[in-house]
């Protein structure tokens, strides 16, 4: 693997990396930047929950940078800088876009502004880091492929977590998540759970898309199902529970509603987790 | 992964089987919970009630009445309208409403009525639920 030396990292390369990260931040966060609920959540959400969301995101960004950062990095200091750069770029992108939409105005109270940006910068910063994996290939640049990095079991699960967090973030703030869960019975919930797990397994293993985890022909179907699909679904479910808590969707709810809403959100999150293993 | 940590089946590390087994147990618990709800859970229609949570006079002379709407039924109620009727200081009838988008079964939602009239008394507040729809 060719690792770019820091000394060789010139202004032109920095500008290209920053531009690429900005593009990734914009593409990945645009659906959320144009979602009304995301603007409002930043205004009324408990700041502690927002802080927890950002604090949970930070180590994930550093780990993501380790594998698919803005630039090829091989030590933790660079990974932290890479993650910080992604966050900084994301803040600028979110601020500019929300200002152009008229969502952020001059004279806005600092806490409202911080809330609106904090909630948007999480998906944007993931996009900024993923930009390298998505855009770098076309330029023929060398770098560590995430496919190489995720050879480890932990890497596989981590990438699934990133995919679940990202797609979950896209839909978790919407009222529709709650409405869907209210319209469903427990039977619907069971069916959706089975569909989520089935699709997850089919996506990666049975369909055999490029990027699917290699499994030996001698390996029984239940082996990857037990080792990867079920943990992947549990990760998607955990991410869903976390996001729903951050967005205060559990307040005043009893256990049955909480489980049902989590199963509903786990559906897109599980697809995000499965797709992350294919796409990244 | 150390060779000693590998299981025999397929040469996979033991940790993968442990994580997989724990995940299987967790998913089984969720399935069991949903199955129990499906087989034995109730399907009672919404049973709605509203009560005062906090009654406070503000410095500007207005009164804030925070209320809790509770659904003791199993099904979710949508468009729940909570109503309060009281008499103002001048003897006029005051009626106010709040609309809650959803009140799930066995769940609560909070809201507040605001009165400009400083003569509103807690004892005179008559709270009720106007109605609801199905989601």
């Amino acid at each position: 693997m060719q690792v770019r030396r820091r000394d060789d990292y010139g202004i032109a390369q920095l500008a290209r990396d920053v531009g690429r990260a900005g593009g990734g931040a914009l593409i990945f966060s645009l659906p959320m930047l144009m979602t009304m609920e995301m603007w409002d959540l930043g205004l009324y959400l408990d700041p502690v929950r927002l802080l927890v969301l950002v604090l949970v995101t930070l180590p994930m960004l550093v780990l993501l940078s380790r594998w698919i950062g803005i630039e090829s990095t091989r030590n933790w200091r660079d990974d932290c800088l890479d993650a910080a750069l992604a966050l900084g770029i994301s803040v600028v992108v979110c601020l500019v876009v929300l200002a152009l939409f008229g969502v952020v105005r001059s004279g806005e109270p600092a806490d409202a502004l911080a809330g609106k940006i904090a909630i948007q910068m999480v998906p944007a910063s993931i996009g900024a880091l993923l930009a390298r994996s998505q855009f770098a290939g076309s330029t023929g640049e060398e770098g560590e492929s995430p496919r190489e990095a995720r050879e480890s079991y932990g890497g596989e699960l981590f990438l699934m977590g990133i995919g679940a967090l990202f797609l979950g973030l896209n839909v978790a703030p919407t009222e529709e998540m709650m409405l869907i869960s209210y319209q469903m019975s427990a039977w619907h919930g069971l069916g959706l759970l089975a569909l989520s797990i089935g699709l997850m397994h089919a996506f990666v293993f049975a369909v055999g898309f490029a990027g699917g985890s290699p499994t030996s022909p001698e390996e029984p179907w239940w082996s990857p199902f037990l080792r990867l699909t079920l943990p992947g679904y549990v990760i998607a479910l955990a991410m869903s529970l976390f996001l729903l808590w951050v967005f205060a969707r559990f307040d005043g709810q009893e256990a049955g509603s909480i489980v049902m809403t989590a199963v509903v959100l786990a559906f897109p999150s599980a697809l995000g987790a499965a797709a992350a293993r294919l796409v990244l | 992964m150390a060779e000693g940590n590998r299981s025999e089946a397929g040469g996979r590390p033991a940790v993968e089987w442990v994580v997989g087994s724990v995940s299987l147990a967790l998913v089984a618990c969720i399935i069991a919970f949903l199955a129990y709800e499906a087989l034995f859970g109730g399907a009672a229609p919404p049973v709605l009630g509203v009560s005062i949570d906090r009654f406070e006079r503000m410095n500007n002379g207005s009164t804030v009445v925070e209320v809790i709407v509770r659904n003791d039924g199993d099904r979710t109620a949508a468009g729940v309208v909570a109503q309060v009727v009281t008499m103002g200081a001048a003897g006029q009838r005051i009626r106010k409403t709040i609309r809650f988008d959803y009140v799930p079964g066995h769940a609560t939602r909070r809201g507040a009525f605001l009165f400009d009239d400083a003569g509103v008394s807690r004892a005179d507040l008559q709270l009720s639920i106007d109605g609801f729809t199905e989601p």
Side-chain angles (χ1 to χ4, degrees), chain B residues 75-108:
Chain B
R75 296 210 297 259
T76 297
V80 177
V81 177
Q83 172 186 257
V84 63
V85 176
T86 188
M87 302 303 285
Q92 79 280 23
R93 184 175 181 271
I94 302 172
R95 177 182 179 272
K96 288 181 179 284
T97 58
I98 310 173
R99 186 181 183 277
F100 296 85
D101 288 343
Y102 303 102
V103 184
H106 304 288
T108 57

PDB file of all heavy atoms in Angstrom, chain B residues 75-108:
ATOM      1  N   ARG B  75     -54.910   1.167  21.454  1.00  0.00           N
ATOM      2  CA  ARG B  75     -54.680   1.729  20.120  1.00  0.00           C
ATOM      3  C   ARG B  75     -54.327   3.211  20.196  1.00  0.00           C
ATOM      4  O   ARG B  75     -54.721   3.913  21.133  1.00  0.00           O
ATOM      5  CB  ARG B  75     -55.932   1.523  19.252  1.00  0.00           C
ATOM      6  CG  ARG B  75     -56.239   0.047  18.996  1.00  0.00           C
ATOM      7  CD  ARG B  75     -56.917  -0.158  17.654  1.00  0.00           C
ATOM      8  NE  ARG B  75     -58.205   0.480  17.553  1.00  0.00           N
ATOM      9  CZ  ARG B  75     -59.362  -0.161  17.683  1.00  0.00           C
ATOM     10  NH1 ARG B  75     -59.385  -1.460  17.921  1.00  0.00           N
ATOM     11  NH2 ARG B  75     -60.502   0.481  17.554  1.00  0.00           N
ATOM     12  N   THR B  76     -53.629   3.674  19.185  1.00  0.00           N
ATOM     13  CA  THR B  76     -53.212   5.073  19.116  1.00  0.00           C
ATOM     14  C   THR B  76     -54.387   5.962  18.702  1.00  0.00           C
ATOM     15  O   THR B  76     -55.174   5.586  17.840  1.00  0.00           O
ATOM     16  CB  THR B  76     -52.074   5.233  18.096  1.00  0.00           C
ATOM     17  OG1 THR B  76     -50.955   4.477  18.539  1.00  0.00           O
ATOM     18  CG2 THR B  76     -51.660   6.688  17.935  1.00  0.00           C
ATOM     19  N   ALA B  77     -54.467   7.115  19.341  1.00  0.00           N
ATOM     20  CA  ALA B  77     -55.463   8.112  18.949  1.00  0.00           C
ATOM     21  C   ALA B  77     -54.756   9.244  18.220  1.00  0.00           C
ATOM     22  O   ALA B  77     -53.669   9.659  18.626  1.00  0.00           O
ATOM     23  CB  ALA B  77     -56.175   8.663  20.181  1.00  0.00           C
ATOM     24  N   ALA B  78     -55.354   9.707  17.152  1.00  0.00           N
ATOM     25  CA  ALA B  78     -54.770  10.824  16.390  1.00  0.00           C
ATOM     26  C   ALA B  78     -55.673  12.044  16.517  1.00  0.00           C
ATOM     27  O   ALA B  78     -56.867  11.917  16.788  1.00  0.00           O
ATOM     28  CB  ALA B  78     -54.616  10.431  14.924  1.00  0.00           C
ATOM     29  N   GLY B  79     -55.087  13.209  16.318  1.00  0.00           N
ATOM     30  CA  GLY B  79     -55.870  14.440  16.346  1.00  0.00           C
ATOM     31  C   GLY B  79     -56.653  14.618  17.629  1.00  0.00           C
ATOM     32  O   GLY B  79     -57.813  15.038  17.594  1.00  0.00           O
ATOM     33  N   VAL B  80     -56.024  14.331  18.735  1.00  0.00           N
ATOM     34  CA  VAL B  80     -56.712  14.419  20.032  1.00  0.00           C
ATOM     35  C   VAL B  80     -56.846  15.892  20.434  1.00  0.00           C
ATOM     36  O   VAL B  80     -55.853  16.618  20.483  1.00  0.00           O
ATOM     37  CB  VAL B  80     -55.930  13.651  21.120  1.00  0.00           C
ATOM     38  CG1 VAL B  80     -56.612  13.808  22.476  1.00  0.00           C
ATOM     39  CG2 VAL B  80     -55.790  12.198  20.737  1.00  0.00           C
ATOM     40  N   VAL B  81     -58.078  16.302  20.703  1.00  0.00           N
ATOM     41  CA  VAL B  81     -58.318  17.685  21.090  1.00  0.00           C
ATOM     42  C   VAL B  81     -58.677  17.730  22.574  1.00  0.00           C
ATOM     43  O   VAL B  81     -59.682  17.169  23.002  1.00  0.00           O
ATOM     44  CB  VAL B  81     -59.457  18.311  20.252  1.00  0.00           C
ATOM     45  CG1 VAL B  81     -59.734  19.746  20.721  1.00  0.00           C
ATOM     46  CG2 VAL B  81     -59.092  18.299  18.776  1.00  0.00           C
ATOM     47  N   ALA B  82     -57.791  18.381  23.342  1.00  0.00           N
ATOM     48  CA  ALA B  82     -58.064  18.588  24.767  1.00  0.00           C
ATOM     49  C   ALA B  82     -58.681  19.969  24.934  1.00  0.00           C
ATOM     50  O   ALA B  82     -58.263  20.937  24.286  1.00  0.00           O
ATOM     51  CB  ALA B  82     -56.779  18.478  25.565  1.00  0.00           C
ATOM     52  N   GLN B  83     -59.690  20.063  25.805  1.00  0.00           N
ATOM     53  CA  GLN B  83     -60.422  21.324  25.969  1.00  0.00           C
ATOM     54  C   GLN B  83     -60.446  21.729  27.432  1.00  0.00           C
ATOM     55  O   GLN B  83     -60.507  20.876  28.320  1.00  0.00           O
ATOM     56  CB  GLN B  83     -61.849  21.132  25.461  1.00  0.00           C
ATOM     57  CG  GLN B  83     -62.752  22.323  25.757  1.00  0.00           C
ATOM     58  CD  GLN B  83     -64.194  22.031  25.366  1.00  0.00           C
ATOM     59  OE1 GLN B  83     -64.668  22.499  24.346  1.00  0.00           O
ATOM     60  NE2 GLN B  83     -64.881  21.254  26.189  1.00  0.00           N
ATOM     61  N   VAL B  84     -60.381  23.028  27.662  1.00  0.00           N
ATOM     62  CA  VAL B  84     -60.568  23.537  29.018  1.00  0.00           C
ATOM     63  C   VAL B  84     -61.599  24.676  28.954  1.00  0.00           C
ATOM     64  O   VAL B  84     -61.582  25.489  28.033  1.00  0.00           O
ATOM     65  CB  VAL B  84     -59.242  24.024  29.642  1.00  0.00           C
ATOM     66  CG1 VAL B  84     -58.655  25.187  28.863  1.00  0.00           C
ATOM     67  CG2 VAL B  84     -59.437  24.400  31.095  1.00  0.00           C
ATOM     68  N   VAL B  85     -62.508  24.646  29.919  1.00  0.00           N
ATOM     69  CA  VAL B  85     -63.520  25.700  30.027  1.00  0.00           C
ATOM     70  C   VAL B  85     -63.448  26.269  31.431  1.00  0.00           C
ATOM     71  O   VAL B  85     -63.338  25.521  32.411  1.00  0.00           O
ATOM     72  CB  VAL B  85     -64.938  25.140  29.763  1.00  0.00           C
ATOM     73  CG1 VAL B  85     -65.991  26.230  29.972  1.00  0.00           C
ATOM     74  CG2 VAL B  85     -65.039  24.573  28.359  1.00  0.00           C
ATOM     75  N   THR B  86     -63.472  27.586  31.517  1.00  0.00           N
ATOM     76  CA  THR B  86     -63.433  28.217  32.835  1.00  0.00           C
ATOM     77  C   THR B  86     -64.122  29.591  32.752  1.00  0.00           C
ATOM     78  O   THR B  86     -64.516  30.040  31.676  1.00  0.00           O
ATOM     79  CB  THR B  86     -61.985  28.370  33.337  1.00  0.00           C
ATOM     80  OG1 THR B  86     -62.001  28.807  34.690  1.00  0.00           O
ATOM     81  CG2 THR B  86     -61.205  29.360  32.479  1.00  0.00           C
ATOM     82  N   MET B  87     -64.228  30.232  33.877  1.00  0.00           N
ATOM     83  CA  MET B  87     -64.829  31.566  33.928  1.00  0.00           C
ATOM     84  C   MET B  87     -63.730  32.591  34.204  1.00  0.00           C
ATOM     85  O   MET B  87     -62.874  32.390  35.077  1.00  0.00           O
ATOM     86  CB  MET B  87     -65.876  31.646  35.045  1.00  0.00           C
ATOM     87  CG  MET B  87     -66.991  30.609  34.895  1.00  0.00           C
ATOM     88  SD  MET B  87     -67.854  30.708  33.311  1.00  0.00           S
ATOM     89  CE  MET B  87     -68.846  32.173  33.590  1.00  0.00           C
ATOM     90  N   GLY B  88     -63.746  33.666  33.451  1.00  0.00           N
ATOM     91  CA  GLY B  88     -62.764  34.722  33.650  1.00  0.00           C
ATOM     92  C   GLY B  88     -63.138  35.610  34.832  1.00  0.00           C
ATOM     93  O   GLY B  88     -64.205  35.443  35.449  1.00  0.00           O
ATOM     94  N   ALA B  89     -62.258  36.582  35.149  1.00  0.00           N
ATOM     95  CA  ALA B  89     -62.473  37.464  36.295  1.00  0.00           C
ATOM     96  C   ALA B  89     -63.740  38.310  36.125  1.00  0.00           C
ATOM     97  O   ALA B  89     -64.415  38.635  37.091  1.00  0.00           O
ATOM     98  CB  ALA B  89     -61.251  38.375  36.461  1.00  0.00           C
ATOM     99  N   ALA B  90     -64.069  38.609  34.849  1.00  0.00           N
ATOM    100  CA  ALA B  90     -65.253  39.431  34.587  1.00  0.00           C
ATOM    101  C   ALA B  90     -66.514  38.584  34.412  1.00  0.00           C
ATOM    102  O   ALA B  90     -67.554  39.086  34.003  1.00  0.00           O
ATOM    103  CB  ALA B  90     -65.017  40.273  33.341  1.00  0.00           C
ATOM    104  N   GLY B  91     -66.393  37.308  34.684  1.00  0.00           N
ATOM    105  CA  GLY B  91     -67.552  36.425  34.582  1.00  0.00           C
ATOM    106  C   GLY B  91     -67.790  35.860  33.205  1.00  0.00           C
ATOM    107  O   GLY B  91     -68.769  35.152  32.965  1.00  0.00           O
ATOM    108  N   GLN B  92     -66.900  36.179  32.246  1.00  0.00           N
ATOM    109  CA  GLN B  92     -67.076  35.656  30.884  1.00  0.00           C
ATOM    110  C   GLN B  92     -66.592  34.208  30.805  1.00  0.00           C
ATOM    111  O   GLN B  92     -65.718  33.803  31.558  1.00  0.00           O
ATOM    112  CB  GLN B  92     -66.323  36.537  29.860  1.00  0.00           C
ATOM    113  CG  GLN B  92     -64.831  36.311  29.753  1.00  0.00           C
ATOM    114  CD  GLN B  92     -64.023  36.991  30.853  1.00  0.00           C
ATOM    115  OE1 GLN B  92     -64.533  37.289  31.936  1.00  0.00           O
ATOM    116  NE2 GLN B  92     -62.752  37.192  30.580  1.00  0.00           N
ATOM    117  N   ARG B  93     -67.190  33.464  29.883  1.00  0.00           N
ATOM    118  CA  ARG B  93     -66.806  32.056  29.692  1.00  0.00           C
ATOM    119  C   ARG B  93     -65.582  31.994  28.776  1.00  0.00           C
ATOM    120  O   ARG B  93     -65.588  32.608  27.708  1.00  0.00           O
ATOM    121  CB  ARG B  93     -67.982  31.285  29.087  1.00  0.00           C
ATOM    122  CG  ARG B  93     -67.747  29.802  28.917  1.00  0.00           C
ATOM    123  CD  ARG B  93     -69.048  29.153  28.422  1.00  0.00           C
ATOM    124  NE  ARG B  93     -68.919  27.713  28.255  1.00  0.00           N
ATOM    125  CZ  ARG B  93     -68.520  27.121  27.127  1.00  0.00           C
ATOM    126  NH1 ARG B  93     -68.207  27.856  26.071  1.00  0.00           N
ATOM    127  NH2 ARG B  93     -68.448  25.805  27.061  1.00  0.00           N
ATOM    128  N   ILE B  94     -64.557  31.270  29.222  1.00  0.00           N
ATOM    129  CA  ILE B  94     -63.334  31.121  28.419  1.00  0.00           C
ATOM    130  C   ILE B  94     -63.201  29.662  28.021  1.00  0.00           C
ATOM    131  O   ILE B  94     -63.283  28.766  28.873  1.00  0.00           O
ATOM    132  CB  ILE B  94     -62.081  31.547  29.218  1.00  0.00           C
ATOM    133  CG1 ILE B  94     -62.207  32.992  29.695  1.00  0.00           C
ATOM    134  CG2 ILE B  94     -60.821  31.367  28.370  1.00  0.00           C
ATOM    135  CD1 ILE B  94     -61.096  33.423  30.638  1.00  0.00           C
ATOM    136  N   ARG B  95     -63.022  29.438  26.728  1.00  0.00           N
ATOM    137  CA  ARG B  95     -62.824  28.054  26.231  1.00  0.00           C
ATOM    138  C   ARG B  95     -61.564  28.007  25.380  1.00  0.00           C
ATOM    139  O   ARG B  95     -61.383  28.832  24.495  1.00  0.00           O
ATOM    140  CB  ARG B  95     -64.029  27.608  25.400  1.00  0.00           C
ATOM    141  CG  ARG B  95     -63.880  26.228  24.791  1.00  0.00           C
ATOM    142  CD  ARG B  95     -65.098  25.871  23.937  1.00  0.00           C
ATOM    143  NE  ARG B  95     -64.942  24.560  23.324  1.00  0.00           N
ATOM    144  CZ  ARG B  95     -64.354  24.353  22.141  1.00  0.00           C
ATOM    145  NH1 ARG B  95     -63.846  25.384  21.470  1.00  0.00           N
ATOM    146  NH2 ARG B  95     -64.234  23.132  21.646  1.00  0.00           N
ATOM    147  N   LYS B  96     -60.699  27.066  25.684  1.00  0.00           N
ATOM    148  CA  LYS B  96     -59.462  26.912  24.916  1.00  0.00           C
ATOM    149  C   LYS B  96     -59.256  25.433  24.586  1.00  0.00           C
ATOM    150  O   LYS B  96     -59.710  24.555  25.335  1.00  0.00           O
ATOM    151  CB  LYS B  96     -58.258  27.437  25.709  1.00  0.00           C
ATOM    152  CG  LYS B  96     -58.240  28.960  25.823  1.00  0.00           C
ATOM    153  CD  LYS B  96     -57.046  29.462  26.592  1.00  0.00           C
ATOM    154  CE  LYS B  96     -57.056  30.980  26.654  1.00  0.00           C
ATOM    155  NZ  LYS B  96     -56.638  31.596  25.389  1.00  0.00           N
ATOM    156  N   THR B  97     -58.568  25.206  23.476  1.00  0.00           N
ATOM    157  CA  THR B  97     -58.302  23.818  23.067  1.00  0.00           C
ATOM    158  C   THR B  97     -56.838  23.655  22.652  1.00  0.00           C
ATOM    159  O   THR B  97     -56.187  24.614  22.233  1.00  0.00           O
ATOM    160  CB  THR B  97     -59.182  23.393  21.868  1.00  0.00           C
ATOM    161  OG1 THR B  97     -58.934  24.273  20.780  1.00  0.00           O
ATOM    162  CG2 THR B  97     -60.654  23.411  22.213  1.00  0.00           C
ATOM    163  N   ILE B  98     -56.362  22.435  22.789  1.00  0.00           N
ATOM    164  CA  ILE B  98     -55.046  22.053  22.262  1.00  0.00           C
ATOM    165  C   ILE B  98     -55.265  20.799  21.436  1.00  0.00           C
ATOM    166  O   ILE B  98     -56.012  19.905  21.839  1.00  0.00           O
ATOM    167  CB  ILE B  98     -54.025  21.697  23.371  1.00  0.00           C
ATOM    168  CG1 ILE B  98     -53.971  22.758  24.455  1.00  0.00           C
ATOM    169  CG2 ILE B  98     -52.641  21.461  22.780  1.00  0.00           C
ATOM    170  CD1 ILE B  98     -53.090  22.340  25.628  1.00  0.00           C
ATOM    171  N   ARG B  99     -54.553  20.722  20.315  1.00  0.00           N
ATOM    172  CA  ARG B  99     -54.644  19.523  19.477  1.00  0.00           C
ATOM    173  C   ARG B  99     -53.323  18.762  19.542  1.00  0.00           C
ATOM    174  O   ARG B  99     -52.261  19.317  19.269  1.00  0.00           O
ATOM    175  CB  ARG B  99     -54.947  19.914  18.025  1.00  0.00           C
ATOM    176  CG  ARG B  99     -55.207  18.728  17.123  1.00  0.00           C
ATOM    177  CD  ARG B  99     -55.484  19.216  15.699  1.00  0.00           C
ATOM    178  NE  ARG B  99     -55.812  18.107  14.809  1.00  0.00           N
ATOM    179  CZ  ARG B  99     -54.910  17.358  14.214  1.00  0.00           C
ATOM    180  NH1 ARG B  99     -53.621  17.568  14.434  1.00  0.00           N
ATOM    181  NH2 ARG B  99     -55.285  16.382  13.410  1.00  0.00           N
ATOM    182  N   PHE B 100     -53.403  17.489  19.915  1.00  0.00           N
ATOM    183  CA  PHE B 100     -52.226  16.618  19.933  1.00  0.00           C
ATOM    184  C   PHE B 100     -52.289  15.724  18.689  1.00  0.00           C
ATOM    185  O   PHE B 100     -53.312  15.072  18.449  1.00  0.00           O
ATOM    186  CB  PHE B 100     -52.215  15.722  21.182  1.00  0.00           C
ATOM    187  CG  PHE B 100     -52.088  16.495  22.469  1.00  0.00           C
ATOM    188  CD1 PHE B 100     -53.203  17.036  23.087  1.00  0.00           C
ATOM    189  CD2 PHE B 100     -50.846  16.678  23.057  1.00  0.00           C
ATOM    190  CE1 PHE B 100     -53.084  17.747  24.272  1.00  0.00           C
ATOM    191  CE2 PHE B 100     -50.719  17.396  24.239  1.00  0.00           C
ATOM    192  CZ  PHE B 100     -51.844  17.937  24.849  1.00  0.00           C
ATOM    193  N   ASP B 101     -51.213  15.703  17.936  1.00  0.00           N
ATOM    194  CA  ASP B 101     -51.214  14.909  16.693  1.00  0.00           C
ATOM    195  C   ASP B 101     -51.474  13.437  16.977  1.00  0.00           C
ATOM    196  O   ASP B 101     -52.306  12.806  16.333  1.00  0.00           O
ATOM    197  CB  ASP B 101     -49.875  15.069  15.960  1.00  0.00           C
ATOM    198  CG  ASP B 101     -49.735  16.444  15.332  1.00  0.00           C
ATOM    199  OD1 ASP B 101     -50.774  17.123  15.190  1.00  0.00           O
ATOM    200  OD2 ASP B 101     -48.608  16.844  15.006  1.00  0.00           O
ATOM    201  N   TYR B 102     -50.743  12.877  17.942  1.00  0.00           N
ATOM    202  CA  TYR B 102     -50.900  11.452  18.265  1.00  0.00           C
ATOM    203  C   TYR B 102     -50.744  11.231  19.766  1.00  0.00           C
ATOM    204  O   TYR B 102     -49.892  11.843  20.403  1.00  0.00           O
ATOM    205  CB  TYR B 102     -49.832  10.596  17.563  1.00  0.00           C
ATOM    206  CG  TYR B 102     -49.840  10.749  16.071  1.00  0.00           C
ATOM    207  CD1 TYR B 102     -48.890  11.532  15.428  1.00  0.00           C
ATOM    208  CD2 TYR B 102     -50.811  10.114  15.298  1.00  0.00           C
ATOM    209  CE1 TYR B 102     -48.898  11.700  14.058  1.00  0.00           C
ATOM    210  CE2 TYR B 102     -50.830  10.283  13.925  1.00  0.00           C
ATOM    211  CZ  TYR B 102     -49.875  11.073  13.312  1.00  0.00           C
ATOM    212  OH  TYR B 102     -49.897  11.235  11.958  1.00  0.00           O
ATOM    213  N   VAL B 103     -51.567  10.340  20.304  1.00  0.00           N
ATOM    214  CA  VAL B 103     -51.366   9.862  21.667  1.00  0.00           C
ATOM    215  C   VAL B 103     -51.393   8.331  21.584  1.00  0.00           C
ATOM    216  O   VAL B 103     -52.466   7.721  21.499  1.00  0.00           O
ATOM    217  CB  VAL B 103     -52.459  10.367  22.643  1.00  0.00           C
ATOM    218  CG1 VAL B 103     -52.137   9.905  24.064  1.00  0.00           C
ATOM    219  CG2 VAL B 103     -52.571  11.887  22.586  1.00  0.00           C
ATOM    220  N   PRO B 104     -50.235   7.686  21.580  1.00  0.00           N
ATOM    221  CA  PRO B 104     -50.188   6.223  21.458  1.00  0.00           C
ATOM    222  C   PRO B 104     -50.830   5.541  22.659  1.00  0.00           C
ATOM    223  O   PRO B 104     -51.028   6.161  23.713  1.00  0.00           O
ATOM    224  CB  PRO B 104     -48.685   5.918  21.409  1.00  0.00           C
ATOM    225  CG  PRO B 104     -48.022   7.216  21.104  1.00  0.00           C
ATOM    226  CD  PRO B 104     -48.910   8.281  21.664  1.00  0.00           C
ATOM    227  N   GLY B 105     -51.142   4.265  22.487  1.00  0.00           N
ATOM    228  CA  GLY B 105     -51.717   3.481  23.574  1.00  0.00           C
ATOM    229  C   GLY B 105     -50.781   3.426  24.773  1.00  0.00           C
ATOM    230  O   GLY B 105     -49.573   3.304  24.616  1.00  0.00           O
ATOM    231  N   HIS B 106     -51.350   3.564  25.966  1.00  0.00           N
ATOM    232  CA  HIS B 106     -50.596   3.513  27.226  1.00  0.00           C
ATOM    233  C   HIS B 106     -49.465   4.546  27.248  1.00  0.00           C
ATOM    234  O   HIS B 106     -48.387   4.277  27.790  1.00  0.00           O
ATOM    235  CB  HIS B 106     -50.037   2.118  27.467  1.00  0.00           C
ATOM    236  CG  HIS B 106     -51.086   1.060  27.449  1.00  0.00           C
ATOM    237  ND1 HIS B 106     -52.006   0.896  28.460  1.00  0.00           N
ATOM    238  CD2 HIS B 106     -51.387   0.123  26.506  1.00  0.00           C
ATOM    239  CE1 HIS B 106     -52.827  -0.100  28.161  1.00  0.00           C
ATOM    240  NE2 HIS B 106     -52.478  -0.585  26.972  1.00  0.00           N
ATOM    241  N   ALA B 107     -49.693   5.673  26.622  1.00  0.00           N
ATOM    242  CA  ALA B 107     -48.664   6.713  26.580  1.00  0.00           C
ATOM    243  C   ALA B 107     -49.267   8.046  27.006  1.00  0.00           C
ATOM    244  O   ALA B 107     -50.493   8.174  27.149  1.00  0.00           O
ATOM    245  CB  ALA B 107     -48.092   6.833  25.162  1.00  0.00           C
ATOM    246  N   THR B 108     -48.410   8.998  27.261  1.00  0.00           N
ATOM    247  CA  THR B 108     -48.850  10.330  27.675  1.00  0.00           C
ATOM    248  C   THR B 108     -48.279  11.386  26.743  1.00  0.00           C
ATOM    249  O   THR B 108     -47.243  11.179  26.116  1.00  0.00           O
ATOM    250  CB  THR B 108     -48.393  10.642  29.120  1.00  0.00           C
ATOM    251  OG1 THR B 108     -46.977  10.522  29.182  1.00  0.00           O
ATOM    252  CG2 THR B 108     -49.041   9.724  30.129  1.00  0.00           C
TER     253      THR B 108
END
